[in-house]
Amino acid sequence: MTSSTSAATAARVSPSPVPGDRSATSPAPATAPDSTSGSGSPSGLAGRLSPLLATIRASLEETPGRMRWLAAVGVAVALAFGLAGGQAFRSASGALERAGANTDQLVRIQAIQTNLVQADADATNAFLVGGLEPPAQRADYLRAVASATQLIAEAAQHQPADGAALGALNQVLVTYASEIESARSNNRQGLPVGAQYLKDASANLRADARPILKNLVDANNARVSTEFDNAGGAALWLVIAGLLALAVLVLELVWLARRTRRYVNIPLAAGAVVVLIALVAGVLALAAVGRTVDTVRTGTYAATLSTAKARIAAFDAKSNESLTLIARGSGSAFEKAWQTSDAAVRTELSHLGNNPVSAGSGALSWPTYEGVHKQIRSLDDKGDWDGAVRLATGTGTEAGNGSFAQFDTASARQLSSFSADASARLDGARTWLPLGGVLGVLAGLLAAACAWRGFSHRLEEYR
């Protein structure tokens, strides 16, 4: 009875399967994966960095770990200081070397310009003689042209950036020399057209060569000024790195003193002292280089530029003097050009007189030539053209060529002296800079070793 009742009850509780209902016959589906179960696990770069960051955090929670990190920082800033010191001295040395090279290039460019106007002065003055020019003057003209040609080649070799301009200048010189030969040939035959050839050649030389030379002078002068500034500012590398290293090492000394209850960590303090001494010594040494640069810039370098400019203007004046006479009464424009050149010479000689390294140089014999020129103009204005020509072409000390030769000789000697002195001073300041760079690197290495040793002593107490 009981068994049949239970079966009936089970039949009532478990409904019969409905045809087509798969839910009654299909096994229960597997549990669906939890889509959020992996959302808390880091992936990608963050996942790779998480263990490292966890290790760093764990190491910083304990004193030995912090000490290791501070030791690494101390070593790093000390090494950075050493590298910065080496770079500061290397930078100053390189700047001085480039400044010297650019100064030499500038002197070459001005020597080219001087030779060009000197050649023109020789050609125009020799033209006044008529027929066959004086052999000495012809030889001086040829020497000036050959010297200008050689200097153009040397300048292009030493400074490739000037190559294109120097190539154009060389073509101007070739054209000028050709025109002068045409004028010379006609002059020897007594043909009036020779005078026109000469005036055209001289005018073309000024019109074509001057812009090129001015650009070359400006470019090289800018290079020199830039390198002077670089040499004077080289200490900035050392100062920034030195102050940073000192600040870090001092802070580490304070931290160790508080943590270990010891007033001074000897090795770490020694490292800080090394940095301080190297910083002070390096700054003083580079400051001395800066003073040398300033002295050269305002002294012998400025005197070199003034002397070269005075010579260029002087030869230009001498050429215009001859052109005024060649024009035979219609050379007022050439006389005005002479006056402009004369003012330029006197301005540069005034600068030389105010320059401490060239005190007294303003007394170069230019005033003597000025006086002769006034006599030449007086004779020509009175109608004594032949007398004016004789005075202009005379070689005596009281004549045009003779008095000008005195200025030429004295100013050339002075230019050579100033240029050599400027180069010698720059080379002298640069001689010991490589050694200073080596010492700066060694100081950084020594300070790094001291910093590491200072922390390693304290770390041994935790073992």
Side-chain angles (χ1 to χ4, degrees):
M1 181 70 178
T2 302
S3 175
S4 58
T5 302
S6 297
T9 301
R12 287 193 299 268
V13 172
S14 300
S16 300
V18 179
D21 187 1
R22 298 183 179 180
S23 61
T25 59
S26 300
T31 304
D34 186 358
S35 60
T36 63
S37 60
S39 61
S41 302
S43 60
L45 180 61
R48 290 192 294 271
L49 290 179
S50 292
L52 176 62
L53 295 176
T55 302
I56 293 174
R57 284 194 296 270
S59 66
L60 291 176
E61 291 175 356
E62 298 180 354
T63 298
R66 294 176 184 176
M67 285 186 177
R68 292 187 184 92
W69 281 104
L70 289 176
V73 171
V75 169
V77 296
L79 291 176
F81 168 73
L83 293 176
Q87 175 61 24
F89 283 93
R90 180 176 176 273
S91 175
S93 178
L96 289 179
E97 183 178 7
R98 292 187 296 272
N102 289 324
T103 298
D104 292 341
Q105 179 73 350
L106 182 59
V107 171
R108 284 189 203 95
I109 298 299
Q110 291 182 318
I112 293 170
Q113 189 169 0
T114 302
N115 277 286
L116 291 180
V117 293
Q118 182 177 355
D120 193 52
D122 284 331
T124 54
N125 190 261
F127 194 89
L128 291 171
V129 177
L132 187 63
E133 66 272 12
Q137 206 161 28
R138 173 65 178 173
D140 197 55
Y141 163 82
L142 293 175
R143 183 204 61 77
V145 171
S147 179
T149 302
Q150 181 180 353
L151 285 170
I152 288 174
E154 291 178 1
Q157 180 181 1
H158 284 86
Q159 180 54 271
D162 296 337
L166 289 167
L169 182 62
N170 188 65
Q171 185 58 48
V172 171
L173 177 57
V174 171
T175 302
Y176 169 77
S178 176
E179 291 175 344
I180 287 296
E181 290 307 311
S182 297
R184 178 171 176 258
S185 177
N186 283 278
N187 186 48
R188 293 179 65 181
Q189 299 177 48
L191 299 176
V193 72
Q196 189 59 47
Y197 277 127
L198 181 71
K199 287 188 286 186
D200 287 345
S202 183
N204 291 337
L205 179 67
R206 286 167 170 75
D208 297 336
R210 275 182 175 173
I212 298 174
L213 288 165
K214 182 180 184 303
N215 290 337
L216 287 170
V217 168
D218 291 345
N220 283 281
N221 192 26
R223 293 185 190 117
V224 173
S225 297
T226 297
E227 298 305 339
F228 279 161
D229 292 339
N230 290 339
L236 186 62
W237 290 83
L238 188 65
V239 171
I240 293 176
L243 293 179
L244 175 62
L246 277 177
V248 170
L249 294 178
V250 168
L251 289 175
E252 289 181 347
L253 279 167
V254 172
W255 185 87
L256 278 176
R258 291 177 175 176
R259 180 66 60 175
T260 63
R261 305 295 189 226
R262 292 181 176 88
Y263 289 111
V264 179
N265 183 292
I266 300 299
L268 188 58
V273 171
V274 168
V275 171
L276 178 61
I277 293 174
L279 175 61
V280 173
V283 168
L284 291 177
L286 292 175
V289 171
R291 288 193 298 271
T292 298
V293 167
D294 290 339
T295 300
V296 171
R297 173 184 280 180
T298 59
T300 51
Y301 176 72
T304 298
L305 295 185
S306 292
T307 304
K309 290 178 182 178
R311 283 175 56 78
I312 292 167
F315 279 109
D316 197 47
K318 192 70 172 74
S319 178
N320 281 304
E321 178 184 85
S322 299
L323 289 170
T324 303
L325 293 173
I326 291 171
R328 285 181 172 267
S330 59
S332 60
F334 296 118
E335 175 58 21
K336 288 181 180 178
W338 185 94
Q339 293 173 0
T340 300
S341 297
D342 172 61
V345 174
R346 286 187 282 108
T347 297
E348 297 304 330
L349 293 183
S350 175
H351 292 163
L352 284 170
N354 294 328
N355 194 321
V357 303
S358 57
S361 296
L364 288 172
S365 54
W366 182 252
T368 303
Y369 166 72
E370 281 182 313
V372 175
H373 176 78
K374 291 178 181 178
Q375 297 176 38
I376 294 171
R377 294 308 320 136
S378 177
L379 290 172
D380 188 31
D381 292 340
K382 292 177 182 179
D384 188 2
W385 185 84
D386 291 330
V389 168
R390 283 194 299 272
L391 186 58
T393 57
T395 56
T397 57
E398 300 300 324
N401 286 350
S403 60
F404 187 85
Q406 291 177 334
F407 172 83
D408 178 21
T409 301
S411 60
R413 186 186 307 116
Q414 180 172 281
L415 177 62
S416 177
S417 175
F418 288 150
S419 176
D421 186 67
S423 296
R425 285 175 179 268
L426 292 176
D427 289 341
R430 190 171 63 87
T431 301
W432 56 270
L433 287 176
L435 176 61
V438 172
L439 293 177
V441 172
L442 291 177
L445 291 173
L446 179 59
C450 290
W452 182 257
R453 185 60 179 167
F455 277 99
S456 65
H457 278 176
R458 302 285 77 84
L459 285 170
E460 289 176 358
E461 298 174 356
Y462 287 86
R463 294 176 182 173

